[in-house]
Amino acid sequence: MDILFERYLEAIRTLDLARVGSPSEIPESFLLAREGRYSSYYIPFESVNSAARVVVVGISPGFVQWKNAMRETQRQMTAGATVEASLRAARLTGAFSGAIRPNFVALLDAIGVQRWLRIASCATLFDVDAPLVQVSAILRHPVFVDGKNYSGTPAMPRQAFLREEMLRYFAHEAAMLPDAVYIPMGASVSEGLDWLARQGVLREDRILHGLPHPSGANAERVAYFLGKKEKEALSGKTNGEMIDLAREKLLEQMRVLMASG
């Protein structure tokens, strides 16, 4: 049983989620650390898939994800699930659900991740090939700034509290998955992973920088990356040249990984 999970087991069991309507209402029993404007709270996300070859790295669970994970953990506990099953279910709650999933799969397939994994398509990473993927966050536990979800500002490497959160939790996961590739979801996560690589936590050549974020709000960049929209048709907010460079770099990175086995 995970040590942190053991520590918070009773607090989760007795938690009345209906009484928690904002980050400021999370019970102090879940507080992990606080420093000035920053605070972090426990979430049951310790589950690490040690066989994973792809690690999808988000920024930090937000308040809604905290509530959903706690609700799922309570449900698992009530059903008599094992600790391992409870932690696994909590971590996968809502992972890449809705429209974001097909975009993400198409982006991974476009650069050849499925060939490196020797599967037909990355779509099966959310089904029969789930053991090959770890859905993670560079800040494993929810971090709030002035009581609001941390959204990437200030940059993680520039703030001591955030550096410590990365090193205390995410570095532990990375040490267990040295041969995986790491896919940052957003520029702030990319910056954080680069900083961790400089600390020797993970290998720089295993970080796949440059994929557009697969959210619906980023539809134009995704479409151009996938070759579904011509450069001449792009709006002024989308830099086609930068996307071209990122795509070529990713394709070369995957070619090198394929060659090295």
Side-chain angles (χ1 to χ4, degrees):
M1 183 183 287
D2 187 277
I3 295 172
L4 274 182
F5 189 72
E6 276 187 333
R7 188 187 308 171
Y8 293 97
L9 194 60
E10 190 56 30
I12 296 172
R13 193 188 310 276
T14 58
L15 175 65
D16 184 356
L17 283 167
R19 298 174 66 89
V20 185
S22 68
S24 63
E25 294 174 327
I26 297 176
E28 287 289 296
S29 55
F30 291 100
L31 182 69
L32 285 173
R34 177 179 285 137
E35 182 181 297
R37 303 166 58 207
Y38 300 88
S39 58
S40 64
Y41 289 84
Y42 175 76
I43 194 170
F45 275 10
E46 289 102 329
S47 175
V48 177
N49 182 1
S50 59
R53 299 187 68 206
V54 174
V55 183
V56 185
V57 190
I59 186 167
S60 173
F63 174 65
V64 171
Q65 195 170 3
W66 181 87
K67 287 194 73 171
N68 289 341
M70 288 298 178
R71 185 176 292 110
E72 178 62 21
T73 305
Q74 289 179 334
R75 193 183 73 78
Q76 293 286 330
M77 291 164 66
T78 300
T82 65
V83 169
E84 291 77 10
S86 297
L87 288 172
R88 187 165 56 249
R91 189 146 203 178
L92 291 175
T93 301
F96 290 94
S97 57
I100 197 170
R101 185 180 294 185
N103 280 349
F104 186 57
V105 166
L107 289 166
L108 294 185
D109 284 351
I111 62 170
V113 173
Q114 81 283 20
R115 291 190 293 276
W116 180 66
L117 293 172
R118 295 183 173 88
I119 59 178
S121 167
C122 288
T124 59
L125 291 176
F126 299 96
D127 189 7
V128 294
D129 290 313
L132 294 174
V133 68
Q134 169 83 1
V135 179
S136 189
I138 196 166
L139 300 172
R140 175 192 288 178
H141 299 281
V143 169
F144 303 106
V145 184
D146 295 329
K148 297 178 181 177
N149 292 340
Y150 170 72
S151 60
T153 304
M156 286 173 272
R158 301 176 196 171
Q159 216 289 328
F161 183 91
L162 302 174
R163 292 196 302 268
E164 175 62 23
E165 289 287 312
M166 287 191 287
L167 290 170
R168 179 169 294 180
Y169 302 111
F170 185 77
H172 170 70
E173 286 185 31
M176 296 175 66
L177 302 167
D179 298 320
V181 296
Y182 290 77
I183 302 172
M185 304 297 285
S188 60
V189 178
S190 285
E191 188 175 354
L193 290 180
D194 278 343
W195 182 82
L196 287 170
R198 292 195 295 273
Q199 312 311 306
V201 171
L202 68 163
R203 289 166 48 185
E204 187 177 355
D205 65 337
R206 294 275 167 164
I207 307 171
L208 302 183
H209 292 299
L211 280 178
H213 196 287
S215 70
N218 212 25
E220 184 175 68
R221 290 179 179 86
V222 171
Y224 183 69
F225 190 97
L226 296 175
K228 295 179 178 180
K229 191 166 189 174
E230 296 297 324
K231 186 178 292 186
E232 295 74 20
L234 294 175
S235 66
K237 64 181 181 180
T238 298
N239 187 323
E241 284 77 13
M242 286 188 66
I243 295 174
D244 289 340
L245 288 171
R247 187 195 304 107
E248 283 307 311
K249 184 179 178 182
L250 284 162
L251 288 168
E252 177 59 25
Q253 203 171 352
M254 292 310 302
R255 279 193 288 267
V256 171
L257 285 171
M258 287 284 290
S260 64

